[in-house]
Amino acid sequence: HDPKEIISILLDKAFDPRETVIISDNIPIQTTTNMLSNELKVQVKKYRNGYLNAQVHSSGGYLFFSQLQYPGWNASIDGKRTTLLSANLAFYAIKIPSGNHTVEFFYISRAIQTGFYISIVTFVALSIVYVFYFKKAKTTIVRSWMNPD
C-alpha cells in the first residue's frame, strides 16, 4: 500500500491513535475504531525484553503492539502462531477472535537461530571425525606398541 496515503491518515487531526489503528498488511487499508472499549481487556502476565505474555478477552478485533516492525518478531494466540499485521505504518497488530485467549509476542533472532544450527552441525561433524579418525589412530598406536615388529 502507498505509505503516503497512510501517513496522510495518521497526520489528520481527526485521527486518534488511542481509539483507531490502521491495518494495511496485504489487505485493503482498514481503519479500526474503539480499540480501547470495554470489549477488549488485556492483562499482561509476563513481560521481559523480547517477550510478552497476556490474557486477552475480546469480542473480536485487533490487538495493537507498539513494537517497531523488525524481522524476528512473532506472535501466537493460544499457542498457535498467528500473522503479524502492519499497523499504523510502523508497528504490529494481530487479529483476535472473540473469547478469552493467551497471546504471546516474542522475538527470535535469525542470527542466533542460524548460529545455533551451525553449532549443532559442527558438533555432529566433529563427533563423527573423532569417532572414526581418533579412535582408529588410537587402535593403531596400541597395536604397534603390543607388536613392535
Side-chain angles (χ1 to χ4, degrees), residues 3 23 35 53 69 72 79 104 112 128 130 132 140 147-149:
I23 306 295
M35 292 297 293
N53 180 302
Q69 292 178 12
E104 290 180 292
I112 291 174
I128 292 169
Y130 174 77
F132 288 107
T140 304
N147 298 320
D149 297 332

Side-chain angles (χ1 to χ4, degrees), residues 124-141:
V124 169
L126 289 175
S127 297
I128 292 169
V129 167
Y130 174 77
V131 167
F132 288 107
Y133 180 74
F134 289 112
K135 288 287 188 176
K136 185 177 180 181
K138 185 177 177 182
T139 303
T140 304
I141 292 170

Side-chain angles (χ1 to χ4, degrees), residues 50-105:
Y51 181 78
L52 173 89
N53 180 302
Q55 288 299 119
V56 177
H57 174 77
S58 171
S59 60
Y62 294 92
L63 180 60
F64 177 83
F65 292 99
S66 59
Q67 172 62 49
L68 287 175
Q69 292 178 12
Y70 190 79
W73 282 103
N74 298 275
S76 68
I77 300 173
D78 298 328
K80 295 179 184 173
R81 290 272 177 111
T82 189
T83 303
L84 286 168
L85 302 169
S86 177
N88 293 358
L89 195 62
F91 303 101
Y92 288 119
I94 59 173
K95 187 163 181 59
I96 303 286
S98 61
N100 294 313
H101 302 283
T102 300
V103 173
E104 290 180 292
F105 187 61

